[in-house]
Amino acid sequence: MKLNRLLAGSALALAVGLPGLAAAKVEPSLELVQPLADYKIYISEKLQKLVDDTTAFTAAIEAGELDKAKALYAPTRASYEAVEPVAELFGDLDAAIDARADDFEKREKDPNFTGFHRLEYGLWEKDSTKGLAPVADKLLADVTELQGRVVDLPLPPEKVVGGAADLMNEVAASKISGEEDRYSHSDLWDFQANVDGAEKIFELVEPLVAKDDPAFVQRVSANFKTVDDTLAKYRAGQGFELYDKLSESDRTVLSAAVNTLAEDLATLRGKLGLN
């Protein structure tokens, strides 16, 4: 019976790319097979949407449709932000797609500065699509390449589960300051996408954690609701208010909620035996 379970688990593990399932720690790995398979589906759907939305976004840039390109910028980025822990497994693509000007010697004028934020700079700071077509072409090629690489990517359980905390830590450590989308001030779109991505990971492993620590699950669920409710205050139409419109008090409240959530999510890997 145990051998049958091991073989069945190993077969499914191969399908989702779970390494080392047949090794010593069989039971925890077997429990994570289905959540990882479900997460792989989630990632695939997000990346397909990213490619589709980037196609429309870059087409607007190449057509010189400034207002349309600006309107598509934030919602296009959302899919990338939701799956960022996986995207970061490919450092070359992550840098090409999502690097900020600070990462380059000549900042905005550096020829190696590409991706979303280079386009954001042109659209808002220069208020023009002029000269952006090559950057747009490269962005579309890079997100398409990312989608292709992820198809056969083994998903390390510790990276997936740890990704929930990573997403919240990134918001707490750097995005609260407004440095991410400094030209468009569309940061709240990114915040929501990061929260959604973290919440998806938590929801997939929640039943495993709840068996041993239901109080933790209730607390984290409540913290997610607090963050979601806080972000909801700044909704505007189909999107969000500009981040530079938020007061320091607003940012402090949001930061506190995100930090509380990040601290709890940082213990998630340990609760699943992945440290």
Side-chain angles (χ1 to χ4, degrees):
M1 182 69 173
K2 183 177 291 187
L3 178 59
N4 289 338
R5 291 178 61 197
L6 178 56
L7 291 174
S10 297
L12 184 51
L14 290 173
V16 300
L18 176 60
L21 185 59
K25 294 184 178 181
V26 173
E27 295 303 327
S29 297
L30 282 172
E31 288 185 326
L32 284 167
V33 167
Q34 191 59 56
L36 286 172
D38 291 341
Y39 188 65
K40 190 68 174 284
I41 293 171
Y42 172 78
I43 291 290
S44 298
E45 291 173 345
K46 286 293 183 183
L47 288 176
Q48 183 59 59
K49 182 168 175 53
L50 175 64
V51 171
D52 292 344
D53 290 349
T54 303
T55 299
F57 171 54
T58 55
I61 290 173
E62 293 181 358
E65 298 174 323
L66 179 63
D67 290 342
K68 182 176 181 180
K70 285 183 174 181
L72 292 176
Y73 170 78
T76 298
R77 276 181 55 76
S79 295
Y80 187 84
E81 291 292 320
V83 301
E84 202 163 11
V86 171
E88 288 177 346
L89 293 173
F90 304 102
D92 59 330
L93 289 177
D94 182 51
I97 293 169
D98 200 39
R100 303 171 192 174
D102 314 48
D103 300 323
F104 302 93
E105 182 179 356
K106 297 180 181 179
R107 297 179 61 83
E108 287 87 354
K109 295 182 180 180
D110 199 300
N112 294 314
F113 178 35
T114 62
F116 277 114
H117 295 304
R118 175 61 184 88
L119 295 172
E120 178 197 10
Y121 170 73
L123 294 174
W124 272 271
E125 290 297 300
K126 300 297 184 181
D127 201 34
S128 172
T129 60
K130 184 178 179 180
L132 295 182
V135 184
D137 287 342
K138 178 170 170 50
L139 175 63
L140 180 56
D142 287 336
V143 299
T144 303
E145 172 71 12
L146 176 64
Q147 182 187 37
R149 289 194 197 180
V150 170
V151 170
D152 298 318
L153 173 70
L155 291 179
E158 67 281 0
K159 181 62 177 178
V160 172
V161 175
D166 290 344
L167 284 164
M168 291 299 90
N169 283 329
E170 184 171 352
V171 174
S174 63
K175 292 185 178 180
I176 285 291
S177 67
E179 66 184 69
E180 177 79 5
D181 295 296
R182 65 191 67 175
Y183 317 111
S184 64
H185 304 298
S186 58
D187 304 80
L188 291 174
W189 285 85
D190 285 7
F191 290 8
Q192 186 66 69
N194 289 154
V195 173
D196 291 345
E199 194 162 12
K200 181 64 177 181
I201 294 169
F202 178 71
E203 287 174 354
L204 290 174
V205 300
E206 178 183 339
L208 304 181
V209 180
K211 293 187 300 183
D212 297 321
D213 198 344
F216 173 81
V217 168
Q218 291 176 359
R219 183 170 71 249
V220 173
S221 297
N223 288 341
F224 267 118
K225 185 177 187 306
T226 297
V227 173
D228 282 328
D229 288 348
T230 302
L231 286 170
K233 295 177 182 178
Y234 309 113
R235 285 276 183 185
Q238 298 299 310
F240 290 91
E241 295 178 16
L242 296 180
Y243 192 57
D244 60 344
K245 301 300 183 184
L246 271 64
S247 67
E248 283 303 315
S249 176
D250 291 330
R251 296 189 187 198
T252 298
V253 170
L254 182 56
S255 178
V258 168
N259 274 302
T260 298
L261 182 55
E263 288 171 4
D264 276 340
L265 291 176
T267 68
L268 195 56
R269 290 200 312 181
K271 291 181 180 296
L272 291 168
L274 294 172
N275 280 343

